[in-house]
Amino acid sequence: MGLAVFTLPAQAGPRLDKVMDSKTLRVGTPGDYRPFAIKAEGGYSGHDIDLIEAMAKELGVKVEYVATSWPRLMADLQADKFDIAVGGITRNVARLRQVEMLPGYAPFGKVALVQAAAKARFSTPQSLNQADVRVIKNPGGTNEAYVLQNLTAAQVSTHDKNAEIPGLIAEGKGDVMITETYEALHYARTDPRLHAAFIDAPLTPVNTLGFMMPVDDADYVRVMRFTWELIDSRGAVKAAAQKWLK
């Protein structure tokens, strides 16, 4: 008499089931970080928006955007306000201790956005950390962390709308915005009053950005990683870079 073999039906994890059954992927983003994700009257656009829409199409679901902020990003994700976060999120150990992140893209370093007329003033990292330098930071992200750790001698103020800070620098209401390679290049290209400093020699080692996910469902993470790899293999990641990052 042979052994009877019993098999249980395959069952996905709860988050994956919820996404697939509702046919809705809830995507959180601050929506204030060009060129990765920016909110305008017509909705969201940017590098990360193109890619998350491509992933959703592959999954057969629609995207529901959920507004968040950089200070609330981690807490909102862990509070189940959305299923994935996008919009120019730096991959680092501190985040990966708490969440999962998809493979990295858009290699970057921390740089400075300054007035073009004053670019000769800011030629070394030390030149940023002076008592007469006015730094404007956005709260809650790695740019703020860099400012608080490295620009302790400067005059630091906080402005909670990241997308407005380049305009403040251009108008002379501040001297320096610490940001990343692509955001600085975007604003320097679109506003001749601005200059992206330290592009060729970033203030920090090169890192990458990534989409951020909760760790409450291994099946969900597995499927999302597969979906990213699939759209990447079909050229979507390269196409987004060529469209938004060049």
Side-chain angles (χ1 to χ4, degrees):
M1 181 177 177
L3 292 174
V5 178
F6 298 96
T7 59
L8 294 173
Q11 185 175 14
R15 185 173 297 275
L16 180 60
D17 279 345
K18 183 178 179 180
V19 169
M20 301 307 289
D21 291 346
S22 67
K23 297 192 179 300
T24 302
L25 180 68
R26 298 172 302 158
V27 177
T29 181
D32 62 358
Y33 186 12
R34 293 182 172 91
F36 297 100
I38 190 73
K39 185 179 181 181
E41 290 184 6
Y44 290 87
S45 64
H47 175 281
D48 290 11
I49 302 304
D50 283 2
L51 291 181
I52 199 63
E53 292 281 357
M55 291 180 68
K57 183 177 180 180
E58 189 62 39
L59 290 165
V61 303
K62 66 178 181 179
V63 171
E64 177 185 303
Y65 290 104
V66 180
T68 184
S69 65
W70 292 106
R72 292 290 312 167
L73 185 66
M74 180 67 73
D76 284 350
L77 181 69
Q78 294 179 325
D80 193 29
K81 293 188 177 180
F82 37 82
D83 305 302
I84 190 167
V86 309
I89 304 168
T90 301
R91 289 164 51 89
N92 57 37
V93 173
R95 283 177 171 144
L96 284 164
R97 288 182 65 187
Q98 304 177 72
V99 297
E100 181 62 77
M101 297 192 77
L102 289 179
Y105 61 89
F108 72 92
K110 297 293 183 192
V111 299
L113 191 65
V114 303
Q115 281 188 306
K119 64 181 182 181
R121 179 185 177 190
F122 302 109
S123 58
T124 66
Q126 294 74 25
S127 67
L128 302 170
N129 190 31
Q130 302 297 320
D132 61 344
V133 174
R134 298 166 299 162
V135 178
I136 305 178
K137 66 176 177 66
N138 182 54
T142 58
N143 294 330
E144 179 183 51
Y146 179 89
V147 169
L148 295 178
Q149 182 175 352
N150 296 283
L151 304 185
T152 54
Q155 302 173 39
V156 177
S157 62
T158 301
H159 189 81
D160 61 3
K161 294 183 179 180
N162 184 70
E164 294 179 355
I165 299 177
L168 297 176
I169 301 298
E171 294 165 8
K173 296 178 180 178
D175 301 309
V176 172
M177 174 189 186
I178 296 298
T179 182
E180 278 114 21
T181 303
Y182 299 105
E183 183 176 43
L185 285 172
H186 169 83
Y187 284 107
R189 287 173 183 147
T190 56
D191 191 333
R193 298 175 297 171
L194 294 171
H195 170 70
F198 306 101
I199 292 295
D200 296 328
L203 301 166
T204 59
V206 173
N207 201 344
T208 56
L209 305 176
F211 294 179
M212 195 165 73
M213 302 176 295
V215 291
D216 55 8
D217 184 348
D219 288 329
Y220 170 73
V221 170
R222 175 176 54 82
V223 169
M224 294 299 283
R225 186 173 294 274
F226 168 78
T227 306
W228 172 275
E229 292 169 351
L230 190 61
I231 67 164
D232 186 18
S233 70
R234 293 174 178 170
V237 177
K238 182 178 180 180
Q242 290 176 335
K243 177 180 177 182
W244 294 101
L245 306 182
K246 298 299 184 182

